[in-house]
Amino acid sequence: MYEQISHSLLNDILTQFKQPKGEDWQHFYTRLGANFYAIHSLFQHLYGQRADFKEQLGKLVNVLAQQYAQRAPHLRAKDLEREKNHDWFMQQKWVGMALYCQGFAGNLASMRERLPYLQELGINLVHIMPLCDCPELQNDGGYAVRDFRKVDARNGTMEDLEQLIAAMQQSDMLLTLDVVVNHTSDEHEWALKAKQGDQQYQDYYYMYPDRTLPDMFEAAMPEVFPEQAPGSFTLNPDTGKWVMTVFNHYQWDLNYSNPAVFIEMVDIVLFWANKGVDILRLDAVAFLWKKIGSSCQNEREAHLILQLLKDCCQVTAPGVIFIAEAIVAPTEIIKYFGEDAINAKECEIAYNATFMALLWDAVATKQTVLLTKGVEDLPEKLDRATWLNYVRCHDDIGLGFSDKAIIEAGFDPVSHRRFLVDYYTGRYPESNARGFAFGVNKKTGDARISGALASLAGLETALDYQDQSAIENAMMTIILLHNLIMSFGGIPLIYYGDAVGTLNNDSYLQDENKMHDNRWVHRPTLDWEVMALRNQPGTIQQRLFSQIKQLIAIRKEISAFADLNNRELITLENPHLFAFHRFVQTGMHSKVVVVANFDTSPQSVPLQSFRQKGLFKGAVLTELYSGQQIIPESDFLTIPKLTAYWLST
Ligand code: GLC
């Protein structure tokens, strides 16, 4: 949009700006012109009260230009290509895996040698968890960054990463890396300067001389790690000041009410964009703005910061997109795509934490009432926005679905959540699950769940007892969950190790730095001899791997699985079944009905439930995963136990 005030300001800024000679800057200027009104308005809203507002805005534009100057020709070409094909990340061809480089391969150099494994499975998007330099011990699995521009020596070098990126680009694989935007390690250069008393850097954080303001903040702030890091402030002995530390006491929260912090972060985001990263996962975005009297999560300004970050990134590196890591209430998560817009204007991708938690509910209850209700309640997504659908990740499972949905599903929220924690920690009599309670808050009674997918699905217990039918059920549960993240709509993100049924690993208990954080139980170091069993017929690894591989291959052929807001839920009379319809106008398999049975017995449903929606008109149905033809008997469709069908109509 053209508007005089911002336009004349931009002219002032550009007059002082020395454009590097001999380069084609046309695209930079068109994008800056298109986004500057929004950039100026947001910056003004956030920082307009400051005397140095104009100077700060000038610095921001300068960062965008400097980073554009650094952007390699092949990345600029990719930007143009993605501008033309702007739905590129919504296609069903993408299937992701999240992994720790060290746990998966050892380091970045050996990661390159493992790319064939990923390709064998069909993975073409890889999220490598935090790689940056961090303290040896207190690092929260890399989420306490000491240097945002340096690769941690345990992972290798920047050259190793560059070689990996080049190899991935050659194979048409996308790379996702984290930018930990909310906090730094207390050993980051900014924190070290703040500790030395440098006011400029103390202003990068929230530091207070006494408990007055910290007490006021804490009165309304929930604790993120109530067991291992209670409270939200830590006394820094060097300065005698209280520093805001929402996560662990060594993770200092950055203060985004200071524009210098925002500008530093834009520079870091673009630094990684210029390394050739396709997707940036912005960590803990719900926490970006703190306000006394609020929970300090999901504040409006946190959204404005993200919009500004997006607008800035679009000027310099529009081919790069963002994932919002916001594990918050269902109605809040969706806002990280942006509100009051048609296209996503904050992050293009968000973790579908609601769907993930609902799937685990269905596994425990063997019923789909809450799953159906919870999905029904999910607000419609914006265009050019998609979910990351996942079953497990490196974090705990939070039971984040709404109380309203639980009540409507016929349960009491407190006792239902308690049941789920009991179920997954194996305390419930009929449960084979072997997980651990995480983040138990004695004051509120809240708890989350840690544990590897296979152990939560009951495989570990079943193997211990050599109970063949329980082994079958656990394996079928693992496949059922993967089936649904492939078909629901969005990018499926498999967690490393899950495709071969990796179990819990309690070796973290020997490590003093990890023993208090049981999320490490599901952050394995893969044993490649065990991984090799995926090629040995009859092994658990081979049976799981081959089925997941097949799911991936078939997903990629089903055009209806592209995520174009093309899903309709089908409510069935049978409480064990969950069903939805996916459709597109054209393409191979443009109409597919997914029906999943979470019960341990076969379940039937009258065909009429589908026919009244204009589906299943023919006498024969084709199940796309197995290629099987299904002729429903006496007008009923029967789904085997713990199975999901992809039915083409
Ligand atoms: C995110 C990460 C989690 C980490 C936290 C603090 O939620 O996924 O692992 O502990 O941020 O950085």
Side-chain angles (χ1 to χ4, degrees):
M1 173 171 156
Y2 172 78
E3 182 259 0
Q4 278 85 352
I5 301 174
S6 60
H7 195 75
S8 72
L9 191 59
L10 180 60
N11 278 338
D12 287 352
I13 293 172
L14 292 180
T15 326
Q16 288 161 27
F17 168 66
K18 285 189 204 65
Q19 176 197 310
K21 289 219 166 57
E23 290 225 26
D24 178 5
W25 279 64
Q26 181 208 328
H27 295 296
F28 177 78
Y29 286 125
T30 22
R31 289 171 193 146
L32 183 61
N35 274 12
F36 195 72
Y37 170 70
I39 292 177
H40 172 250
S41 311
L42 289 162
F43 207 74
Q44 165 103 42
H45 190 93
L46 291 161
Y47 308 116
Q49 78 293 359
R50 293 174 58 110
D52 63 350
F53 166 75
K54 200 172 156 185
E55 185 193 328
Q56 295 288 349
L57 187 60
K59 278 191 186 162
L60 176 63
V61 174
N62 200 46
V63 163
L64 302 185
Q66 294 307 326
Q67 290 288 3
Y68 184 75
Q70 303 286 320
R71 192 146 177 84
H74 74 281
L75 296 177
R76 290 188 188 181
K78 199 181 269 182
D79 290 334
L80 295 177
E81 191 187 300
R82 287 182 177 167
E83 275 175 344
K84 281 208 182 90
N85 177 20
H86 57 262
D87 279 347
W88 63 273
F89 58 94
M90 323 266 290
Q91 296 160 8
Q92 75 277 12
K93 77 174 206 182
W94 301 116
V95 178
M97 182 178 283
L99 51 89
Y100 281 101
C101 151
Q102 287 171 57
F104 178 74
N107 58 33
L108 286 165
S110 22
M111 233 330 293
R112 232 177 330 138
E113 288 157 33
R114 296 295 178 201
L115 292 182
Y117 162 81
L118 296 171
Q119 286 169 312
E120 183 188 336
L121 185 57
I123 300 297
N124 47 18
L125 181 160
V126 186
H127 169 208
I128 308 183
M129 256 142 349
L131 284 172
C132 289
D133 178 55
C134 60
E136 191 193 338
L137 298 177
Q138 302 196 318
N139 60 42
D140 191 20
Y143 285 101
V145 177
R146 187 163 56 188
D147 186 338
F148 285 106
R149 293 183 181 80
K150 191 170 162 214
V151 169
D152 192 280
R154 283 162 287 193
N155 294 317
T157 62
M158 189 60 91
E159 289 69 46
D160 294 333
L161 179 61
E162 281 162 0
Q163 285 179 17
L164 178 68
I165 293 175
M168 288 179 69
Q169 280 169 353
Q170 268 185 359
S171 314
D172 198 17
M173 290 175 106
L174 302 178
L175 175 62
T176 300
L177 290 186
D178 283 85
V179 179
V180 185
V181 285
N182 179 66
H183 43 258
T184 71
S185 150
D186 64 348
E187 293 185 22
H188 188 283
E189 187 194 350
W190 305 333
L192 295 181
K193 288 186 177 154
K195 286 181 191 175
Q196 285 158 9
D198 186 333
Q199 190 59 45
Q200 185 190 343
Y201 289 96
Q202 291 197 353
D203 289 347
Y204 273 39
Y205 300 98
Y206 296 87
M207 296 181 79
Y208 301 102
D210 57 42
R211 286 286 317 178
T212 315
L213 290 173
D215 283 344
M216 288 167 76
F217 268 114
E218 278 185 353
M221 288 172 87
E223 291 170 315
V224 178
F225 295 142
E227 295 162 305
Q228 69 204 66
S232 299
F233 284 84
T234 302
L235 182 63
N236 169 243
D238 304 299
T239 55
K241 292 192 175 180
W242 290 89
V243 188
M244 186 184 283
T245 53
V246 169
F247 292 87
N248 287 298
H249 65 85
Y250 51 81
Q251 289 167 301
W252 287 19
D253 284 66
L254 287 165
N255 184 349
Y256 279 89
S257 68
N258 178 355
V261 169
F262 177 77
I263 295 168
E264 295 266 19
M265 207 41 86
V266 170
D267 202 29
I268 291 164
V269 160
L270 294 176
F271 170 86
W272 286 106
N274 281 349
K275 286 282 168 210
V277 178
D278 302 281
I279 305 176
L280 290 168
R281 174 193 184 274
L282 306 181
D283 184 59
V285 287
F287 297 84
L288 288 180
W289 197 267
K290 319 294 198 289
K291 213 180 271 170
I292 288 178
S294 77
S295 67
C296 296
Q297 291 183 37
N298 308 312
E299 287 299 307
R300 175 159 179 264
E301 288 83 352
H303 289 283
L304 301 183
I305 298 274
L306 289 170
Q307 285 169 28
L308 188 54
L309 200 55
K310 174 87 285 189
D311 288 334
C312 290
C313 188
Q314 278 175 342
V315 172
T316 302
V320 172
I321 57 174
F322 294 159
I323 298 177
E325 193 260 342
I327 311 301
V328 289
T331 45
E332 293 296 336
I333 296 184
I334 198 131
K335 294 183 188 162
Y336 288 89
F337 294 128
E339 270 188 294
D340 306 326
I342 294 172
N343 291 323
K345 62 171 184 181
E346 288 183 23
C347 297
E348 291 85 350
I349 307 178
Y351 279 80
N352 200 349
T354 313
F355 185 54
M356 179 276 298
L358 289 166
L359 287 176
W360 285 108
D361 185 87
V363 170
T365 58
K366 301 183 176 50
Q367 302 218 356
T368 56
V369 196
L370 182 52
L371 171 59
T372 306
K373 194 84 219 71
V375 170
E376 217 167 58
D377 286 354
L378 276 182
E380 181 99 330
K381 259 188 309 100
L382 301 182
D383 290 343
R384 292 205 66 235
T386 194
W387 293 117
L388 262 191
N389 290 316
Y390 63 114
V391 180
R392 287 299 290 117
C393 70
H394 69 293
D395 280 333
D396 47 286
I397 302 172
L399 305 173
F401 23 76
S402 72
D403 283 1
K404 177 177 157 280
I406 303 181
I407 294 166
E408 282 170 12
F411 305 113
D412 166 65
V414 173
S415 51
H416 190 64
R417 288 205 175 87
R418 193 171 305 138
F419 155 74
L420 290 172
V421 174
D422 284 349
Y423 184 91
Y424 283 114
T425 52
R427 285 194 292 245
Y428 186 75
E430 285 161 40
S431 164
N432 267 344
R434 221 178 258 185
F436 300 88
F438 175 79
V440 179
N441 189 327
K442 296 223 168 71
K443 289 173 237 162
T444 61
D446 287 345
R448 285 117 71 185
I449 297 153
S450 283
L453 163 60
S455 297
L456 292 175
L459 187 59
E460 193 175 339
T461 309
L463 285 170
D464 277 355
Y465 289 97
Q466 274 305 306
D467 176 341
Q468 286 312 318
S469 105
I471 292 176
E472 266 330 292
N473 284 354
M475 289 175 60
M476 291 180 84
T477 303
I478 293 171
I479 299 303
L480 171 64
L481 293 170
H482 280 98
N483 179 306
L484 288 167
I485 61 166
M486 297 290 163
S487 53
F488 184 73
I491 303 172
L493 187 72
I494 299 178
Y495 188 56
Y496 77 118
D498 282 352
V500 292
T502 306
L503 303 174
N504 286 341
N505 183 332
D506 63 9
S507 59
Y508 76 101
L509 292 170
Q510 312 310 317
D511 184 334
E512 206 186 313
N513 190 48
K514 294 179 177 162
M515 64 205 294
H516 302 294
D517 185 342
N518 65 23
R519 290 176 300 171
W520 287 99
V521 80
H522 57 255
R523 297 174 177 176
T525 296
L526 298 186
D527 175 342
W528 284 89
E529 279 179 25
V530 175
M531 298 294 283
L533 295 176
R534 72 186 184 280
N535 298 318
Q536 195 171 305
T539 59
I540 286 179
Q541 289 77 8
Q542 184 268 334
R543 288 169 61 200
L544 289 174
F545 186 87
S546 59
Q547 290 181 79
I548 293 176
K549 180 176 166 175
Q550 170 90 346
L551 283 172
I552 293 174
I554 309 270
R555 163 191 156 90
K556 290 182 182 175
E557 284 174 15
I558 299 179
S559 54
F561 285 174
D563 189 21
L564 305 165
N565 285 339
N566 49 343
R567 179 185 53 248
E568 196 192 331
L569 215 56
I570 306 173
T571 314
L572 299 174
E573 296 291 287
N574 187 320
H576 305 286
L577 299 179
F578 173 60
F580 51 88
H581 175 206
R582 304 291 320 272
F583 45 89
V584 280
Q585 294 297 326
T586 52
M588 190 142 94
H589 309 311
S590 59
K591 286 194 173 66
V592 176
V593 173
V594 177
V595 193
N597 175 11
F598 279 82
D599 197 28
T600 42
S601 310
Q603 293 293 331
S604 298
V605 62
L607 280 179
Q608 188 50 27
S609 312
F610 300 94
R611 290 206 174 121
Q612 65 197 16
K613 290 188 169 285
L615 301 163
F616 295 170
K617 290 203 183 108
V620 182
L621 304 172
T622 307
E623 204 290 307
L624 296 174
Y625 171 73
S626 58
Q628 227 186 323
Q629 302 276 304
I630 297 175
I631 304 172
E633 277 171 40
S634 28
D635 271 0
F636 271 83
L637 173 68
T638 302
I639 313 289
K641 69 171 181 179
L642 299 170
T643 296
Y645 277 168
W646 291 348
L647 298 166
S648 172
T649 71

